[in-house]
Amino acid sequence: EEWKEKGAAVGIRQEVDTNGRTVQRIMKKGVKDFNFGRTLGEGSYSTVLHATDRQTLREYAIKVLDKRHIIKEKKVKYVNIEKDTLNRLTEHPGIVRLYYTFQDERSLYFVLDLANNGELLGVLKKMGTFDEECTRFYTAQILDAIDYMHQRGVIHRDLKPENVLLDSHMHVKITDFGTAKILGLNPKTNSGGPLDGSELDRANSFVGTAEYVSPELLTDKNACKASDLWAFGCIVYQLLAGRPPFKASNEYQTFQKIVGLDYTFPDGFPPIARDLVERLLVLDPAKRLPMEHIKNHEFFDNQIWGKALWKQKAPRLK
Ligand SMILES: Nc1ncnc2c1ncn2[C@@H]1O[C@H](COP(=O)(O)OP(=O)(O)OP(=O)(O)O)[C@@H](O)[C@H]1O
Ligand SMILES: O=C(O)C[C@H](Cc1nc2cc(Cl)cc(Cl)c2[nH]1)c1ccc(Cl)cc1
């Protein structure tokens, strides 16, 4: 009983039942295990609250979704994709980690890594543009996280500076996996079942955010890993230029610019970075620079990769 008033901790509890047998009880985290604090942000279907685990005093971001709203807006699939995708991406410092999920009669709860310093977009807006050193550091961390996702068969499909959060060390935490695609899963049931012909060519209804959408998503509706690398190219450009490469007064005109590869570099755009962007913003996904070649590109000369990249001190933004 003492577990109850302390709030059930997650894990196994040994008990002896009435027949004297030792039984194992699974204790799941619940709302009672947390003290909820300030609102960190609002989404279309969610509120993200700061929260502290009452036993361990660890801080989290808890994303709370209203069940009725989710069902009314037909977002059940997205919520379950976000959960399943985050559960596959647990071992990387550059991806927001999902610790627990639970629900009560009204809401669903995602207990996530707390990213204290908000969105990369906010920092970029404050700075105007990043210098090359800062761009190299942040894009290297983003690329490392994309590589990990892709190795686990996950395509993010909506990469953009708003979805790159920053933790207390100003390190990257990629979020927002509700529109991700898990490769090799049957799109209809999102399970591992056999793919028959109809599933393969089924057009994927989801399209990301206009400025970062890849041309193949606009023409033949299918996202692939290279689609994330197109978005990555847009992010490299945007950090250095202070604006995304394809931006028009409305979505349709933005799409026109994308499929027409209609973009220019501002004066003073660093030539080595320009070369990298030009090899990423390529209409044919098969001709886009693949992951290993990006890491070996001159722009990332002297950049350390692997675990050391995540121990590196974030450069001061100037
Ligand atoms: N792990 C986190 N740590 C700190 N802040 C977060 C975290 N996750 C989300 N936020 C903030 O909370 C806000 C809402 O995020 P959420 O993912 O719920 O919705 P969204 O994806 O931003 O919006 P939409 O659902 O419309 O796409 C965002 O602005 C984000 O900055
Ligand atoms: O318990 C699980 O692991 C799976 C459930 C599945 C699930 N139950 C739901 C109920 C409702 Cl009303 C809406 C959605 Cl999206 C629902 N998704 C779940 C619970 C919590 C969260 Cl955050 C996501 C999915």
Side-chain angles (χ1 to χ4, degrees):
E1 284 321 305
E2 75 285 355
W3 285 75
K4 285 264 182 302
E5 77 247 4
K6 266 199 299 184
V10 72
I12 309 274
R13 177 175 71 180
Q14 302 275 10
E15 271 183 355
V16 177
D17 71 6
T18 43
N19 314 328
R21 270 195 312 245
T22 305
V23 291
Q24 315 233 345
R25 291 220 188 286
I26 308 280
M27 308 304 291
K28 196 161 162 47
K29 285 280 182 199
V31 181
K32 296 180 313 308
D33 296 304
F34 300 91
N35 285 332
F36 288 83
R38 73 186 197 292
T39 298
L40 295 166
E42 311 267 350
S44 319
Y45 315 97
S46 52
T47 300
V48 180
L49 301 170
H50 182 281
T52 308
D53 182 315
R54 290 175 44 206
Q55 275 158 319
T56 64
L57 297 185
R58 281 191 62 177
E59 296 181 276
Y60 296 97
I62 298 190
K63 184 164 170 170
V64 186
L65 301 108
D66 179 83
K67 286 182 175 178
R68 264 179 340 96
H69 188 45
I70 295 249
I71 293 170
K72 193 159 54 60
E73 302 289 320
K74 299 188 181 18
K75 292 293 170 190
V76 172
K77 187 169 71 92
Y78 287 104
V79 175
N80 292 331
I81 288 174
E82 181 159 26
K83 177 176 184 288
D84 296 344
T85 309
L86 284 173
N87 279 335
R88 287 164 77 108
L89 302 173
T90 54
E91 302 294 318
H92 196 280
I95 292 171
V96 164
R97 180 151 169 217
L98 174 62
Y99 294 90
Y100 322 100
T101 59
F102 48 83
Q103 53 183 301
D104 58 21
E105 59 290 334
R106 281 197 44 197
S107 309
L108 298 171
Y109 301 83
F110 285 92
V111 181
L112 301 159
D113 267 332
L114 172 62
N116 268 306
N117 283 305
E119 302 171 358
L120 181 65
L121 180 72
V123 174
L124 178 64
K125 285 207 159 123
K126 230 171 29 211
M127 306 300 298
T129 59
F130 280 16
D131 64 15
E132 278 187 83
E133 186 199 2
C134 292
T135 301
R136 180 171 14 265
F137 174 79
Y138 283 103
T139 55
Q141 289 209 330
I142 293 168
L143 191 66
D144 199 59
I146 293 172
D147 192 6
Y148 171 80
M149 270 179 233
H150 287 180
Q151 285 176 24
R152 269 152 195 74
V154 171
I155 306 175
H156 187 284
R157 297 204 298 183
D158 197 13
L159 286 171
K160 54 182 177 176
E162 293 96 306
N163 287 338
V164 177
L165 303 184
L166 298 164
D167 70 10
S168 50
H169 303 289
M170 287 301 277
H171 279 193
V172 154
K173 289 270 179 206
I174 292 182
T175 187
D176 220 349
F177 287 85
T179 49
K181 184 161 180 50
I182 302 178
L183 295 174
L185 285 194
N186 181 336
K188 198 180 272 179
T189 61
N190 208 6
S191 68
L195 275 176
D196 58 48
S198 67
E199 293 308 335
L200 280 171
D201 58 21
R202 199 174 61 83
N204 286 315
S205 56
F206 171 72
V207 161
T209 306
E211 286 78 8
Y212 306 89
V213 163
S214 56
E216 62 272 15
L217 212 58
L218 295 171
T219 47
D220 63 42
K221 287 274 172 238
N222 265 318
C224 55
K225 290 179 179 178
S227 307
D228 281 344
L229 297 181
W230 170 280
F232 176 74
C234 293
I235 293 171
V236 176
Y237 178 103
Q238 182 172 357
L239 295 188
L240 288 164
R243 61 175 171 77
F246 306 102
K247 183 121 184 85
S249 42
N250 64 58
E251 281 203 350
Y252 180 76
Q253 284 176 343
T254 300
F255 292 155
Q256 292 260 25
K257 283 179 172 284
I258 291 168
V259 296
L261 204 62
D262 171 11
Y263 78 105
T264 57
F265 290 91
D267 292 343
F269 195 96
I272 296 173
R274 173 171 177 146
D275 180 78
L276 174 60
V277 171
E278 283 170 345
R279 295 174 192 277
L280 288 166
L281 300 186
V282 173
L283 291 179
D284 179 352
K287 295 201 174 72
R288 242 162 257 161
L289 214 50
M291 181 58 71
E292 276 323 301
H293 291 74
I294 304 173
K295 290 189 171 182
N296 292 323
H297 188 277
E298 197 186 345
F299 179 68
F300 289 114
D301 271 2
N302 312 323
Q303 179 56 52
I304 41 175
W305 296 98
K307 282 206 180 329
L309 165 58
W310 297 90
K311 293 196 172 34
Q312 193 181 329
K313 195 169 172 315
R316 206 168 44 73
L317 291 158
K318 44 194 180 298

